Amino acid sequence: MRAASVKDVADRAGVSVGTVSNVLNNPDRVASATRERVQAAIAELGFVRNDAARQLRAGQSRTIGLVLLDAANPFYAALAAGAEDEAAQHNSTVLLASSQGDPRREERYIDLFEEQRVQGLLISPVGDPSARLAQLVGRGVPTVLVDRDAEAETYGSASVDDVHGGRLAVEHLVAGGRRRIAFLASDPGLRQVADRFAGARAAAEAAGAELEFVRTSGMTILGGRAAAADLLRRETTPDAIFCANDLLATGVLQALIMDGRYRVPEDVALVGYDDIEFASSAIVPLTTVRRPAEEMGRTAVRMLLGRADVEHTVFKPELVIRASTARETGEASAAH
């Protein structure tokens, strides 16, 4: 069965197509008896208006495209929730896509959203999409980077100071007497990872501590578990592990518990990044660097809808100290 059309509704109600259009878009212009007849026909036929087509014809799309780096990561899910909530308050809708760290997949989604004539684009990019995004802005598609600062002045950004976040984590570890620190992440070329490592390295060098970049198979629980298992097979193991996100830290914690030889934090201190919901409820609650995911998403949407394509907001991360680094319960703190 084909979907009912506006003409089908008009025929059933015995009115013109223009009258049906007015009932849908300007009901106050139609007499109440006629309006009720049209609404009854809509209900009988199960008519659903093609709002996307109407918006395209009017050049007034109410859809925002959001391309995330990894929708499976709870941090990005929270960011998307914030964006959706803010968009709904402005009668807009967010369409979500995940590049999964694949530049080609990211490019396909950018193309798709441009073809759909979205109201604007929010993107947490894999690499450096500046040329492509400058094209979008030049064609009248406002664009805001999320979870990345914009190096160009043609589009906006809502990001976190990840260099500062990396520094906070390692300064905390060395203050607790840790000297052999492993930093776990999958791709050293990813901007967020590079920034966190740069901050961590600066703090380690200032304290005369060792810091090693350990590459993982992915930014996932399984990636953290596998990397930690390899570290624990070494003759000399690190006395602290700083993970580029909380999923990795969760995997590391699992590996340490399954190994059975090392206590957290007595033998190995552990720090994550993001402060996802699970971090506080892990079997050993995770010390982590908190980023305001939902507020970042909301801010990006506000910037986009204001067409403020050259505004930049940088949030400051916070260190949240929990049992995975606190040698005694009394050391744990809600946030620092």
Side-chain angles (χ1 to χ4, degrees):
M1 294 178 62
R2 69 177 180 83
S5 68
V6 171
K7 187 176 186 306
D8 294 330
V9 173
D11 291 343
R12 177 66 63 91
V15 299
S16 69
V17 169
T19 298
V20 176
S21 178
N22 276 333
V23 170
L24 294 172
N25 301 305
N26 302 288
D28 293 342
R29 296 182 182 179
V30 184
S32 59
T34 303
R35 187 167 65 243
E36 289 172 5
R37 198 162 69 249
V38 170
Q39 289 169 339
I42 288 172
E44 290 171 14
L45 294 171
F47 170 77
V48 178
R49 67 190 295 173
N50 188 342
D51 200 49
R54 181 184 65 82
Q55 290 176 3
L56 285 175
R57 287 194 298 271
Q60 295 177 338
S61 171
R62 306 300 297 176
T63 301
I64 296 169
L66 171 57
V67 184
L68 295 176
L69 195 60
D70 180 11
N73 185 330
F75 169 81
Y76 288 111
L79 189 153
E84 288 178 322
D85 181 63
E86 185 67 30
Q89 295 181 40
H90 300 276
N91 298 315
S92 291
T93 302
V94 173
L95 290 182
L96 177 64
S98 177
S99 70
Q100 297 179 1
D102 182 345
R104 290 171 298 180
R105 187 183 179 104
E106 176 182 272
E107 182 70 19
R108 286 197 299 271
Y109 280 128
I110 293 173
D111 291 343
L112 175 63
F113 284 141
E114 185 177 16
E115 289 168 8
Q116 294 295 316
R117 303 293 194 272
V118 293
Q119 190 176 8
L121 179 70
L122 306 177
I123 181 170
S124 176
V126 178
D128 179 12
S130 55
R132 182 71 179 89
L133 299 186
Q135 268 186 345
L136 285 180
V137 174
R139 293 170 183 165
V141 182
T143 300
V144 175
L145 297 191
V146 288
D147 193 31
R148 273 274 297 275
D149 63 312
E151 297 177 354
E153 287 298 319
T154 52
Y155 43 83
S157 63
S159 63
V160 172
D161 185 348
D162 282 323
V163 174
H164 182 63
R167 185 181 297 113
L168 284 176
V170 171
E171 284 177 347
H172 172 62
L173 289 171
V174 297
R178 312 296 174 161
R179 312 302 297 173
R180 302 184 311 279
I181 304 169
F183 175 81
L184 271 59
S186 62
D187 183 1
L190 188 64
R191 176 65 180 277
Q192 293 92 326
V193 168
D195 284 352
R196 289 166 208 176
F197 184 62
R201 183 173 53 200
E205 289 176 352
E210 299 174 16
L211 180 69
E212 176 189 3
F213 191 112
V214 176
R215 190 160 186 171
T216 64
S217 58
M219 300 283 279
T220 62
I221 292 175
L222 291 179
R225 188 191 300 172
D230 288 340
L231 284 172
L232 298 179
R233 282 192 285 267
R234 293 181 178 180
E235 184 176 343
T236 302
T237 58
D239 59 11
I241 299 175
F242 172 32
C243 297
N245 72 17
D246 286 338
L247 295 180
L248 286 170
T250 301
V252 170
L253 181 59
Q254 290 177 354
L256 288 164
I257 291 171
M258 288 187 294
D259 183 277
R261 294 174 295 163
Y262 302 93
R263 298 167 301 164
V264 179
E266 290 83 358
D267 302 311
V268 181
L270 179 61
V271 177
Y273 207 97
D274 289 338
D275 196 26
I276 62 175
E277 186 175 355
F278 178 76
S280 62
S281 57
I283 189 168
V284 180
L286 288 171
T287 293
T288 186
V289 178
R290 176 184 293 159
R291 301 193 292 158
E294 290 191 21
E295 183 57 29
M296 200 184 307
R298 284 192 289 267
T299 298
V301 169
R302 286 195 294 268
M303 293 168 65
L304 189 73
L305 296 181
R307 304 188 73 87
D309 54 357
V310 292
E311 285 191 11
H312 306 284
T313 299
V314 181
F315 293 94
K316 283 290 185 184
E318 296 178 281
L319 179 68
V320 181
I321 303 173
R322 299 193 180 103
S324 68
T325 60
R327 293 180 184 272
E328 297 177 6
T329 306
E331 291 181 49
S333 173
H336 288 265

